[in-house]
Amino acid sequence: MDILSVSVRQDALTQHDVSALLVDQQIFDAQAIHGISVRETSTDTAAVLLWGGQYLRVVRICRSETGAPRQIVDFCLGQTCSAQDWILDVEFRPVRYDGARGDGVTTVLITAHDAISEVVVLAAASPVVSIRSLTSTSRCVLYSAHVLWLSPTRILAAAGTVFGHEGSIFGVRISDTIERANAGAPQRLLASCSDDRTIRVWDISDLSEEAPDIVGGSHDRETGFGSNSVTASDQQCLALSTRSHDSRVWSVRFVLTEETAENAPLATIISAGEDATCRTWQPSAVAATGNPGPAFRIQHISTSAHHAGKNIWSLAVHGNEQVATGGADGRIVLASISTNEERVADSVSRQEEWTLEEALSNANARAEPPETCEVSGPDNKQSSVDLAQDSAEAHPSRHISDAPDEAPETKKEKKKTKKSPKPISDSFRTYAFVSEKSILVTTSAGVVMLATMENRGLQWQELGRNSDVRGYSVTTGVNSMGIGLFAGTGGSLYYYDDRTEQLQSIVTRQDGKVSAILAEPVVSAEGEREALGVVLTYVGSDVAKSLVLRRSTRGLDVERIASLQLLPSFIVTSAARVSFNERLDSVFLGSRNGDIAVYLNRLNETHESTSLTPCRVLQNVHGQDAVTTMRWISADHIATEAASGCLVSVGRDGTCAIHQCKTETRHIETLLVHQARTPFGPNVEGVHIELATDTLIFYGFRSKQFVVYNESNNEEIMTIECGGAHRNWSFNPTPKWTGGTFVWTKASKLKLVSQLEAAHRTICSGGHGREIKALAVSPASKQVSTYGQLIATGAEDTDIRIFAYDTRSRKRFRCLRILRKHVTGVQKLQWSQDGRYLFSCGGFEEFFVWRVRSVSAIGVGVV
């Protein structure tokens, strides 16, 4: 019965397969709901027992006759009952044990003072509940408990106290029986978690001490908790994790697979905690050392962070495929489970790992018997221009003539006299996507390769060997045009065209080492053009080269070139180019110290040797940190005639900035309309704006993970454990930014993960991560918002959220912006009378003034 996988959030029943709210019903008058237990009574009906504090209530739900998704449930409430103490866990008797005794549906519950009761739910028009005590209370105070049925009349209960681990035990879980090949008798495990941030796994397979039936009493057995607690070195403790979460761990669950092979994982454990993350673990055997200690260590498999603020309060596992989490932010998330390092969620299309030797072997096996291709600038036939010369052949109006071949004898003589270079140990060097399926790869020994993603895995092709990129190389890709660019120590620029499958040089320079290649399609008011803007920077040089390349029948031609004079200590880290009209374009350069320099190029005055100086410098846009990416939004996508477009930038200060730009004949006027801290960082490497939906997306690194984050929905799209930012990598998003392909180097190996869509689904979007302390409603003003009045909320999670009431949306309230500046809880919010300013204050003597504007590209901009 598909409607029975349910979640309760503030007394709400949802159906996870369609993400539709089915029922919104008050369960208790003045008591939060702490737990849910579900038991199917027939193919069309089920009993749902909900409890909170010492109260419990049974609800009968059934499929309606219509079967329509929003009319699928008939909801019948039973009477509220009270147990003798705070309820910790309730477990229905499994269907396989039906008919053993009585006519009703039986459950057992355990309370905070170690009392166990039998609860029988009788079938009636309204569910009737009877409670019978099986054991008396004790002086022991329990923090957590779990009950498991062993037979129709026997149960197994585990509980955690304040004295377990090195702190209070907040979660315990008993596994089902585990069967493995050559393991002898089936095993049963117990997992526990604590405020000491550890997870421990205990072996409780030996239940030789027979316990009486639940009708006849109970039998207590010490399993490592309490005054006689055992240490982690005790033989019952199979595995121990240290600092499994960044803060307290609230709950654990087992995921048991159907694998029975001898080398299959012992178990998979899901944990959730105060740090608002859900993590996957597996016990792995520890090499014998002779020292006392657990035989296994708990190995981390994956981490998901889909909740805001602190605390995942609820956790449920469905089979071995899905896990549902509910957090203090009110969000409910359904995610896929990875049960080992090699297996990833169904939404991930591929995961591969290659050594360079394997890649070269694959390329050699696939290669036709060709001649070895040496791509080294003017020694080959290609269209090229020498940037170090001011020659007539380099004029933009002409096609650069092919460089002549040298005579074979001359080449041989040169090879005899040329000193042999030092041998270089080969390894993967750089990566660049040239299309959705193709990656341009260079190696330390100067090998240029193409990796193509096919159904059978990556297929490799050696494109050539280039002495320029031996020992050093930089690459970039423009996959929308099918172009990959690379350069090395000699200063020449080479490209690979995925459409023609040609590898050629485009410009040459013999006296400069290229430090960066920054390339993207030229944005034009007239629409898409087959032009590519490239900025080349050189080590130790105060001049950068700006090129516009255009496709022709012979490949890429240099259309125009300009020299960009750099300011002192201005190290270029990003670039953007825009063509305002046929006679005016602009180049924006971002620097390592947070500045953005603006260059205007009047094309009617341009020739190859033109030298441009900045017409404007935006200082400290990103503090003293590098500007990592810039994107241009043309005037067609913004609802104002006063601007020529918007420049969007992100930096390693962890912020995103948007400037409105207006061009004049000799200068550009800029206005900062939005700057806010991103949800992760400070290593924000890129930004994308989905103009059709005003969606803002960031990607970069958080600790040891690569993250793609949807700021508008406040959720992660993609998270990959890669080891951190200090490595060679490249990322190519899917067309709709539901995932992408990430390739990086780790331990001298190429690793690749490709994800078509998010590995999770948000059932309920939620809001703040902690209690809301302030709320303010703005006056209606179209200058501030096209949505009308805005609603600002502030909470103890230190965030300020700005909402719009959208009658067109099913969710009604739409979060437009999240402001992350306060370091303590927000206490008060107030709008100015004209609605252009928002005032906020919090603890620690914080007071901020926010300027709020309507910005079409993202909805609302805040500075």
Side-chain angles (χ1 to χ4, degrees):
M1 181 175 173
D2 59 355
I3 67 172
L4 296 182
S5 181
V6 300
S7 301
V8 171
R9 179 190 58 83
Q10 297 177 349
D11 313 323
L13 180 65
T14 62
Q15 181 179 344
H16 74 74
D17 58 337
V18 294
S19 302
L21 181 67
L22 301 179
V23 177
D24 190 351
Q25 175 67 50
Q26 188 78 21
I27 302 298
F28 301 119
D29 292 333
Q31 174 61 54
I33 297 175
H34 293 151
I36 311 167
S37 187
V38 180
R39 207 275 200 174
E40 293 187 41
T41 56
S42 70
T43 56
D44 293 324
T45 62
V48 180
L49 196 153
L50 306 102
W51 71 90
Q54 66 184 85
Y55 300 101
L56 71 155
R57 194 170 190 180
V58 176
V59 177
R60 189 179 72 245
I61 60 176
C62 62
R63 187 191 304 273
S64 66
E65 295 180 359
T66 60
R70 292 185 182 276
Q71 301 174 356
I72 202 169
V73 169
D74 288 334
F75 201 76
C76 182
L77 284 171
Q79 185 179 2
T80 301
C81 301
S82 177
Q84 55 186 325
D85 197 1
W86 188 284
I87 300 172
L88 295 180
D89 190 38
V90 177
E91 190 73 22
F92 277 101
R93 186 174 61 199
V95 176
R96 63 182 181 273
Y97 297 148
D98 277 355
R101 45 188 303 273
D103 298 326
V105 178
T106 302
T107 72
V108 290
L109 63 83
I110 184 170
T111 67
H113 280 86
D114 202 16
I116 298 177
S117 299
E118 180 188 46
V119 181
V120 179
V121 181
L122 302 176
S126 177
V128 177
V129 175
S130 66
I131 303 177
R132 179 171 68 97
S133 296
L134 299 177
T135 65
S136 59
T137 62
S138 68
R139 292 186 301 172
C140 176
V141 177
L142 306 181
Y143 273 49
S144 57
H146 179 225
V147 179
L148 183 72
W149 287 81
L150 299 179
S151 73
T153 57
R154 292 180 64 217
I155 63 170
L156 178 64
T161 71
V162 69
F163 302 108
H165 288 222
E166 295 177 8
S168 303
I169 297 176
F170 292 122
V172 294
R173 202 72 179 179
I174 306 169
S175 75
D176 290 331
T177 54
I178 303 171
E179 296 184 2
R180 292 288 179 267
N182 303 325
Q187 289 180 286
R188 192 183 298 277
L189 305 177
L190 171 69
S192 58
C193 60
S194 169
D195 63 358
D196 63 4
R197 308 183 192 182
T198 67
I199 298 171
R200 304 191 187 195
V201 179
W202 311 81
D203 186 357
I204 56 171
S205 303
D206 184 8
L207 298 176
S208 56
E209 299 179 47
E210 290 292 331
D213 293 348
I214 60 172
V215 295
S218 68
H219 180 80
D220 295 331
R221 178 182 168 195
E222 181 64 61
T223 56
F225 306 105
S227 58
N228 298 320
S229 62
V230 296
T231 65
S233 62
D234 189 274
Q235 60 181 357
Q236 288 182 307
C237 184
L238 285 182
L240 168 67
S241 73
T242 58
R243 303 299 182 188
S244 55
H245 282 253
D246 295 335
S247 52
R248 293 175 287 187
V249 189
W250 296 134
S251 53
V252 287
R253 296 290 187 273
F254 280 101
V255 179
L256 299 182
T257 67
E258 297 178 356
E259 297 179 81
T260 58
E262 185 177 358
N263 60 349
L266 183 63
T268 298
I269 300 169
I270 306 290
S271 65
E274 187 180 19
D275 59 3
T277 66
C278 183
R279 308 194 182 200
T280 306
W281 312 86
Q282 282 181 347
S284 60
V286 176
T289 61
N291 297 323
F296 293 81
R297 65 181 178 90
I298 300 181
Q299 182 179 2
H300 177 252
I301 302 298
S302 63
T303 298
S304 60
H306 304 309
H307 294 270
K310 292 184 176 182
N311 296 313
I312 293 179
W313 291 124
S314 54
L315 178 67
V317 174
H318 176 60
N320 62 354
E321 298 178 351
Q322 292 180 315
V323 56
T325 56
D329 58 353
R331 173 173 292 181
I332 301 173
V333 174
L334 190 66
S336 301
I337 297 174
S338 297
T339 55
N340 59 58
E341 288 185 299
E342 300 301 324
R343 175 191 167 189
V344 288
D346 293 338
S347 60
V348 178
S349 60
R350 69 171 68 235
Q351 178 170 312
E352 298 187 42
E353 178 179 290
W354 290 79
T355 65
L356 181 57
E357 290 74 17
E358 292 170 341
L360 291 171
S361 175
N362 178 273
N364 292 333
R366 297 178 66 246
E368 303 171 358
E371 50 190 281
T372 303
C373 177
E374 169 73 22
V375 184
S376 56
D379 291 343
N380 297 278
K381 285 188 176 181
Q382 53 248 336
S383 300
S384 62
V385 56
D386 189 346
L387 293 186
Q389 299 177 3
D390 184 10
S391 60
E393 289 77 16
H395 194 277
S397 63
R398 303 183 187 180
H399 180 78
I400 310 305
S401 60
D402 292 343
D405 276 349
E406 289 186 277
E409 293 80 11
T410 307
K411 287 185 179 179
K412 289 180 180 178
E413 290 174 5
K414 282 192 174 183
K415 286 183 180 177
K416 289 179 182 178
T417 58
K418 189 175 181 180
K419 187 177 180 180
S420 300
K422 280 186 177 181
I424 296 177
S425 60
D426 206 1
S427 61
F428 290 114
R429 182 76 188 182
T430 60
Y431 313 103
F433 282 90
V434 295
S435 71
E436 186 179 348
K437 299 290 186 181
S438 301
I439 309 167
L440 186 68
V441 181
T442 65
T443 75
S444 298
V447 181
V448 183
M449 307 179 73
L450 186 72
T452 304
M453 291 185 287
E454 298 182 3
N455 291 335
R456 52 183 172 167
L458 282 181
Q459 298 300 304
W460 293 83
Q461 177 186 356
E462 185 175 328
L463 301 176
R465 295 175 182 262
N466 191 319
S467 57
D468 252 10
V469 296
R470 182 180 171 86
Y472 172 83
S473 61
V474 289
T475 59
T476 190
V478 185
N479 59 358
S480 61
M481 298 182 66
I483 296 293
L485 301 164
F486 65 95
T489 56
S492 297
L493 177 66
Y494 306 88
Y495 75 92
Y496 172 77
D497 191 335
D498 195 54
R499 299 181 185 179
T500 62
E501 299 184 352
Q502 293 181 344
L503 182 66
Q504 296 182 337
S505 69
I506 187 66
V507 293
T508 60
R509 174 189 170 102
Q510 303 301 323
D511 59 350
K513 179 179 179 180
V514 177
S515 59
I517 308 171
L518 308 165
E520 63 176 18
V522 177
V523 180
S524 171
E526 289 84 17
E528 184 177 352
R529 299 191 302 178
E530 287 291 303
L532 178 64
V534 179
V535 173
L536 296 176
T537 62
Y538 302 91
V539 175
S541 175
D542 59 358
V543 177
K545 291 293 183 179
S546 173
L547 300 88
V548 175
L549 311 178
R550 191 177 295 276
R551 267 201 174 95
S552 72
T553 56
R554 291 173 290 185
L556 283 182
D557 294 341
V558 180
E559 185 176 86
R560 56 181 181 268
I561 302 172
S563 297
L564 307 178
Q565 297 295 324
L566 303 179
L567 298 172
S569 303
F570 193 100
I571 300 175
V572 180
T573 56
S574 58
R577 178 190 288 271
V578 58
S579 178
F580 295 114
N581 52 54
E582 293 297 332
R583 295 188 174 184
L584 184 67
D585 68 5
S586 180
V587 178
F588 299 88
L589 297 183
S591 76
R592 187 179 290 178
N593 62 2
D595 297 343
I596 297 176
V598 185
Y599 297 81
L600 271 182
N601 192 2
R602 288 168 289 280
L603 303 181
N604 58 332
E605 303 173 7
T606 298
H607 49 86
E608 193 277 331
S609 59
T610 294
S611 180
L612 303 177
T613 57
C615 68
R616 187 177 184 85
V617 178
L618 309 178
Q619 294 184 337
N620 302 123
V621 175
H622 293 280
Q624 296 295 320
D625 296 293
V627 183
T628 52
T629 299
M630 292 188 289
R631 294 285 182 264
W632 178 262
I633 303 173
S634 65
D636 297 342
H637 300 292
I638 59 176
T640 176
E641 299 179 356
S644 305
C646 288
L647 180 70
V648 183
S649 64
V650 292
R652 293 213 174 106
D653 63 339
T655 67
C656 171
I658 300 179
H659 289 82
Q660 278 189 356
C661 302
K662 183 179 180 181
T663 59
E664 303 291 346
T665 306
R666 298 284 177 180
H667 67 281
I668 291 183
E669 295 293 335
T670 61
L671 175 65
L672 181 65
V673 296
H674 176 73
Q675 186 158 24
R677 189 166 298 280
T678 57
F680 65 92
N683 292 316
V684 182
E685 301 295 334
V687 61
H688 170 75
I689 295 180
E690 196 69 39
L691 297 170
T693 57
D694 294 346
T695 300
L696 193 59
I697 297 173
F698 303 105
Y699 61 88
F701 295 90
R702 177 187 59 208
S703 185
K704 295 183 179 181
Q705 298 174 327
F706 177 79
V707 179
V708 182
Y709 195 94
N710 187 320
E711 165 75 358
S712 301
N713 295 339
N714 193 31
E715 64 180 356
E716 292 180 5
I717 299 172
M718 188 174 180
T719 304
I720 298 171
E721 296 280 349
C722 66
H726 302 291
R727 61 198 66 250
N728 294 321
W729 62 275
S730 187
F731 173 65
N732 181 46
T734 56
K736 295 185 178 180
W737 283 81
T738 55
T741 302
F742 181 67
V743 58
W744 75 101
T745 302
K746 186 175 181 180
S748 299
K749 295 180 180 180
L750 178 149
K751 291 178 175 286
L752 180 144
V753 171
S754 182
Q755 175 180 301
L756 298 180
E757 60 184 17
H760 71 282
R761 186 155 52 94
T762 300
I763 305 298
C764 179
S765 58
H768 284 282
R770 293 187 63 185
E771 57 270 26
I772 296 174
K773 302 297 290 290
L775 182 145
V777 181
S778 74
S781 173
K782 290 186 177 180
Q783 293 182 347
V784 176
S785 169
T786 57
Y787 297 97
Q789 289 180 290
L790 300 177
I791 303 167
T793 58
E796 282 295 324
D797 62 2
T798 73
D799 290 348
I800 298 172
R801 292 178 179 242
I802 298 180
F803 293 88
Y805 185 72
D806 190 355
T807 57
R808 299 166 294 180
S809 171
R810 179 173 60 87
K811 297 179 181 179
R812 298 298 185 182
F813 288 97
R814 179 184 178 187
C815 182
L816 302 177
R817 288 276 74 76
I818 302 176
L819 311 181
R820 303 175 178 92
K821 183 71 173 178
H822 286 275
V823 296
T824 56
V826 181
Q827 302 299 319
K828 180 67 176 178
L829 294 171
Q830 180 67 51
W831 291 93
S832 63
Q833 292 184 354
D834 58 7
R836 295 188 300 168
Y837 296 95
L838 175 66
F839 305 93
S840 66
C841 64
F844 204 63
E845 301 180 357
E846 294 178 318
F847 177 74
F848 297 114
V849 181
W850 309 86
R851 175 68 168 92
V852 184
R853 293 181 178 87
S854 176
V855 179
S856 298
I858 60 172
V860 169
V862 182
V863 179

